[in-house]
Amino acid sequence: MRSSPARGTSTTGVSRRHAVMLRLVGAGVMLTVMADTTATTLAVGVLRYTPAGAAMPLGDLVWLTSAAFIPIAALLATAGRWADLFGRRRVLVVGLVVFVLGGVATVAVESWSLVLAARAVQGAGAAAMIPASLGLLLGELPESQRRGAIALWSSASGLGCLLMQAGGGWLAATVGWRALFVPDVVIGVALLIACFALPSGRRAGARGLPDVLGAWLLAAGIAVVVLAISKAMAWGMDVVWLALAALLLLGGALAQARHHRLPAIDLALWRRPKFVWGWLATWGFGALSYGLLTVQPLYLLHLGYPMLEVAMWLTPTSVAVVVTSFLAGKLVKRIGAYGLIYAGSLLCGGACVLVLTQVGPTVWGLVASVVLGMGVGALAPGTSVATTLAARPQQYASAVGAATMARMVGGAVGITVVSVVIDHPFVAGPFAGPFAGLAGALAICVAISVLMGALALTKITRLRPDPGDVMIKVPRRMLLELRMTLATVAAEADALLPVETRTPPMDHIPRQRAAEAGPLAGTRGNSN
């Protein structure tokens, strides 16, 4: 008779209703955040070819994306840490409220500077939503369901991209670019209501004040890093001073973390080699995915396609992302997280090379967009599993925050580099011509894919366990059964021998005790 899990435990006793709501809210958060990001890239493309936006350089228009990226990247690690300490559902609710208010302001305000400020508010809300949602999901579900939950969480991002591309083109063409941010507000309100049906989530039960100074230093340091990356070409050597300021701020945050009782940075997480490897892979994934998100609509709009047709051409990529992310959740158990990362890098790089050989949208271009979606769909759960499950249960939200921060900082790098190359294309060699900037941007995406594939292959071929991990566990009961079996065989063989040659009976052989089923490590067996 199968025993049901106890209801009192948060990791195994979550009710079926709560499990369903956890999955829906977790997936809804990623769907909303990715739809918001896709809406931003579509809005940049639309503004690029409007009279108001045509007078602005692409670097200034891209600030519509960077204005949200900076607070997201800056606050993710701190928000994840505080979610682990003080309650994941609480941080999720606060994030949703801030996100919805920022979305309303983005649609309502007129001035471009106020629009950027509203986008920054949305970014701050998203920074709290992302780690709290996945941390709550993983903390409440049993271990056997966590990889599937991560796959669902990752595939929801592709679904958000798909829905925004399918309906966003119509919204932008019929209503205007501000209408692209309306669906995020509606879904955010629905998620906020659904949060009251969720369990409160485990918390560390920490007492005392959190490291507020360390949190501000960390957020400011990461914000300055993203700002320096975003404005590297426009500000020239002034960026060096920003880099020095970022080093000082991050150094101060680390110093605070070493001495504070409730630090803003979980240093124990960064001592785990598996997490560091996953963090690097996630950084590369951010640079690649957000770079491609910027290139795709600009490439099609450059060809003169209207917004509705651009959305249609982008839809196969998003469909492939959703399907592949879902299937990757089952495949990761066989080939591992870094196997998925290697396969995704190979697919993304190959798709970019295929696009470089084409002139304008063709059937092969459509095939490349599907392959690209498959690559992104493999990379998303692969990087998420590699980072999140490298942490301990009480560190889940912190790991999600730090990993997503890496993805956002990498995304800022990808968007900035791609925008610079498109505005300042190479004019010699194979990149000369009317598509020089776009071809150069695709070549950079190929280079990032190669680097990520090399990192994953290195991890696969040189896999080393963490010092604290128990790699082999041999139950003592199995050894006792083996010993009793050998003793029985020896006794039967001895019975076949003549009486004078038989071995005296060994009464001291211990009998098997059914109660001793613990692991061998840390136990002492009887040797006599």
Side-chain angles (χ1 to χ4, degrees):
M1 183 174 178
R2 212 169 32 177
S3 60
S4 58
R7 293 184 178 272
T9 57
S10 61
T11 56
T12 59
V14 61
S15 67
R16 178 170 296 183
R17 181 177 66 87
H18 280 160
V20 171
M21 289 302 298
L22 284 166
R23 288 181 171 88
L24 288 177
V25 173
V29 166
M30 277 310 293
L31 183 149
T32 306
V33 172
M34 198 61 196
D36 179 74
T37 303
T38 306
T40 306
T41 57
L42 292 176
V44 170
V46 172
L47 287 170
R48 174 77 166 171
Y49 296 94
T50 59
M56 300 173 62
L58 182 59
D60 290 344
L61 289 177
V62 169
W63 266 103
L64 193 65
T65 302
S66 299
F69 267 22
I70 291 175
I72 289 178
L75 297 173
L76 270 167
T78 301
R81 177 64 171 156
W82 286 3
D84 282 334
L85 290 175
F86 305 112
R88 294 161 183 170
R89 187 180 69 174
R90 182 180 302 172
V91 173
L92 176 59
V93 169
V94 172
L96 282 167
V97 170
V98 174
F99 183 83
V100 169
L101 292 176
V104 172
T106 302
V107 176
V109 298
E110 293 293 335
S111 170
W112 180 250
S113 60
L114 292 178
V115 169
L116 296 182
R119 291 292 298 148
V121 172
Q122 274 195 290
M129 293 160 52
I130 294 171
S133 63
L134 186 55
L136 184 63
L137 183 63
L138 297 179
E140 295 297 315
L141 292 180
E143 184 178 358
S144 60
Q145 300 179 19
R146 287 170 186 164
R147 285 182 174 84
I150 293 175
L152 175 65
W153 191 76
S154 300
S155 62
S157 63
L159 182 60
C161 185
L162 170 63
L163 294 176
M164 182 52 66
Q165 287 173 347
W170 176 82
L171 284 174
T174 57
V175 182
W177 66 270
R178 292 177 187 271
L180 292 169
F181 300 97
V182 173
D184 299 336
V185 175
V186 176
I187 300 175
V189 172
L191 290 174
L192 188 59
I193 296 172
C195 279
F196 294 99
L198 298 179
S200 59
R202 292 192 300 172
R203 50 187 292 184
R207 295 181 180 180
L209 294 176
D211 184 9
V212 178
L213 176 59
W216 278 109
L217 291 172
L218 177 63
I222 297 173
V224 172
V225 168
V226 178
L227 179 63
I229 293 170
S230 302
K231 305 302 289 184
M233 290 298 295
W235 292 354
M237 292 302 296
D238 291 339
V239 173
V240 175
W241 298 106
L242 288 177
L244 292 175
L247 288 176
L248 291 174
L249 291 168
L250 293 176
L254 287 173
Q256 279 287 111
R258 288 179 178 273
H259 300 95
H260 203 281
R261 182 182 178 184
L262 301 176
I265 303 174
D266 189 355
L267 296 179
L269 187 63
W270 290 93
R271 296 190 186 103
R272 300 180 66 82
K274 285 185 177 181
F275 175 80
V276 176
W277 278 87
W279 190 91
L280 292 173
T282 305
W283 188 94
F285 173 53
L288 178 63
S289 59
Y290 284 106
L292 290 170
L293 273 175
T294 304
V295 171
Q296 278 185 297
L298 289 176
Y299 174 74
L300 295 168
L301 289 167
H302 183 76
L303 294 172
Y305 281 80
M307 196 64 213
L308 285 174
E309 293 188 26
V310 168
M312 291 177 61
W313 275 97
L314 295 177
T315 299
T317 302
S318 300
V319 172
V321 170
V322 175
V323 175
T324 307
S325 295
F326 178 77
L327 296 177
K330 301 179 179 180
L331 191 61
V332 70
K333 297 180 180 179
R334 296 185 177 182
I335 66 175
Y338 289 96
L340 280 180
I341 294 172
Y342 180 75
S345 302
L346 191 65
L347 291 171
C348 287
C352 292
V353 171
L354 184 57
V355 172
L356 284 170
T357 63
Q358 308 299 308
V359 180
T362 62
V363 174
W364 286 110
L366 183 62
V367 171
S369 67
V370 174
V371 174
L372 182 64
M374 293 171 61
V376 174
L379 285 170
T383 53
S384 297
V385 170
T387 50
T388 306
L389 295 189
R392 302 189 186 280
Q394 68 270 19
Q395 299 172 316
Y396 280 148
S398 300
V400 174
T404 313
M405 178 266 289
R407 181 174 175 178
M408 293 300 173
V409 174
V413 173
I415 291 173
T416 301
V417 172
V418 162
S419 303
V420 169
V421 171
I422 291 175
D423 268 354
H424 304 83
F426 302 106
V427 293
F431 302 110
F435 293 93
L438 293 166
L442 286 172
I444 290 173
C445 292
V446 173
I448 298 174
S449 300
V450 171
L451 290 175
M452 287 191 63
L455 184 147
L457 191 60
T458 301
K459 182 62 177 174
I460 292 171
T461 56
R462 299 179 62 184
L463 187 63
R464 294 180 181 180
D466 286 344
D469 288 348
V470 179
M471 299 301 296
I472 301 174
K473 295 181 179 180
V474 183
R476 186 167 185 246
R477 181 179 179 180
M478 293 178 60
L479 293 182
L480 289 173
E481 289 177 352
L482 178 61
R483 186 174 181 179
M484 294 300 298
T485 301
L486 292 175
T488 303
V489 172
E492 292 176 353
D494 196 57
L496 298 176
L497 297 174
V499 177
E500 62 272 14
T501 60
R502 292 181 184 177
T503 305
M506 300 177 64
D507 297 332
H508 60 275
I509 296 178
R511 295 184 178 182
Q512 177 184 359
R513 288 177 292 178
E516 293 184 3
L520 181 63
T523 62
R524 295 178 179 266
N526 295 326
S527 58
N528 296 315

